[in-house]
Amino acid sequence: MPAPGVLLVDKPGGMTSHDVVARARKALGTRKIGHAGTLDPMATGLLILGVEAATRLLTFIVGLDKTYETTIRLGATTDTDDADGTIETTTDAAAVAPAAVTAAIADLTGEISQVPSRVSAIKVGGRRAYDLARAGEEVELAARTVTVSRFEVLRERRVDGFLDLDVVVDCSSGTYVRALARDLGSALGVGGHLTALRRTRIGPFDVAGAAAIDALGSAPLQTPAAVATTVLGAFPVSAEEARDLRHGKRLVGASARLERAPAAAIDPAGLLVGIVERRGDDVKSVMNLPGEAPA
């Protein structure tokens, strides 16, 4: 059984996130592996896996902001808002002016209201939207507020009546980049969809430090203590305090030492005791990590 930890994976195209988890389970010899933040089969890039008890940390990772590098094709719509779908309409986008693109992107930057793609994994009446769409059923998803802090065009190419934009997007969790492509094309009157998507960052974690799919068995795991400290910040505790937290006791009067909450309680050996929060003047563990407990 592997030690608990977090594994960064550079997902290749053509695989589902579940496919990656299955490969990791086989490579590491454990069933207890989960992931934070699904990537579509077409997409590549950073997928974060939790192994053994560290799966409990994924809840603090999934909501972090993200960075994507993507190519948007203006001049065609598809039924999935990406290149895996069937083309529904085509419009000559060769005459779309750069100033118009800039203005439309500005309207899709900042805090915006976005209707997710109808082939998203959002549940509608207990079923995934993509399952409903594939079954030919009408899918209506509610708009949600998301934040796009960066939507920048890096390069553009005009080919065969299409306008391809290579862009980088920094956004909040829950943002659908496919929907950005769809809405950009709609605003310009020519339609749009994604032809490539790569996630390069989740919070403080970068794809540059991720393992290739064929190297999962030999890739080093980041320790729960290191990951929790990176995401939440450290709350150092004594050996006695660590023991009390592991036994469900509060640290009486310790909240003044807690600079931010929740935080990672780290014992003198550098192990993650658990995730702690304030309870009035006290500090209480809201999630212990038994796999990190000393023998």
Side-chain angles (χ1 to χ4, degrees), residues 66-97:
K66 300 169 176 66
T67 296
Y68 295 91
E69 294 177 356
T70 183
T71 299
I72 297 173
R73 168 156 287 184
L74 297 175
T77 63
T78 74
D79 58 357
T80 59
D81 300 326
D82 64 25
D84 280 346
T86 301
I87 292 178
E88 294 183 317
T89 66
T90 58
T91 305
D92 192 341
V96 174

Side-chain angles (χ1 to χ4, degrees), residues 19-269:
D19 291 337
V20 175
V21 170
R23 288 279 292 269
R25 286 171 174 166
K26 183 176 181 180
L28 298 177
T30 179
R31 294 287 303 169
K32 196 168 183 181
I33 296 180
H35 68 80
T38 301
L39 279 176
D40 294 329
M42 183 192 83
T44 68
L46 184 58
L47 188 67
I48 298 182
L49 306 185
V51 180
E52 296 294 338
T55 56
R56 305 183 73 188
L57 296 177
L58 298 179
T59 187
F60 300 101
I61 295 174
V62 69
L64 298 175
D65 60 345
K66 300 169 176 66
T67 296
Y68 295 91
E69 294 177 356
T70 183
T71 299
I72 297 173
R73 168 156 287 184
L74 297 175
T77 63
T78 74
D79 58 357
T80 59
D81 300 326
D82 64 25
D84 280 346
T86 301
I87 292 178
E88 294 183 317
T89 66
T90 58
T91 305
D92 192 341
V96 174
V101 173
T102 299
I105 284 178
D107 288 340
L108 292 170
T109 304
E111 188 175 271
I112 63 172
S113 179
Q114 181 186 75
V115 176
S117 171
R118 68 191 188 96
V119 292
S120 68
I122 294 173
K123 286 191 175 182
V124 180
R127 296 175 63 189
R128 300 290 184 185
Y130 55 70
D131 287 332
L132 294 171
R134 288 167 185 163
E137 298 183 35
E138 193 66 29
V139 180
E140 291 189 13
L141 298 175
R144 57 174 62 186
T145 300
V146 298
T147 300
V148 178
S149 52
R150 181 186 181 194
F151 191 167
E152 181 182 354
V153 177
L154 303 179
R155 288 169 295 277
E156 66 173 55
R157 301 178 299 279
R158 298 174 188 266
V159 182
D160 298 329
F162 298 115
L163 175 56
D164 286 351
L165 305 176
D166 295 333
V167 307
V168 59
V169 175
D170 293 336
C171 57
S172 62
S173 179
T175 304
Y176 284 87
V177 182
R178 280 179 298 171
L180 288 178
R182 175 200 67 203
D183 293 345
L184 178 62
S186 177
L188 293 167
V190 295
H193 68 281
L194 292 186
T195 59
L197 180 66
R198 180 167 176 78
R199 185 161 65 196
T200 60
R201 181 185 64 85
I202 300 175
F205 305 104
D206 194 278
V207 72
I213 193 69
D214 294 330
L216 299 184
S218 59
L221 299 182
Q222 297 191 25
T223 67
V227 170
T229 296
T230 298
V231 174
L232 301 173
F235 176 67
V237 296
S238 67
E240 182 179 357
E241 289 174 327
R243 185 166 54 250
D244 286 345
L245 288 172
R246 289 186 174 111
H247 290 162
K249 296 181 180 180
R250 297 188 180 201
L251 304 185
V252 178
S255 66
R257 292 164 40 203
L258 193 59
E259 295 182 0
R260 54 186 285 194
I266 306 296
D267 73 9

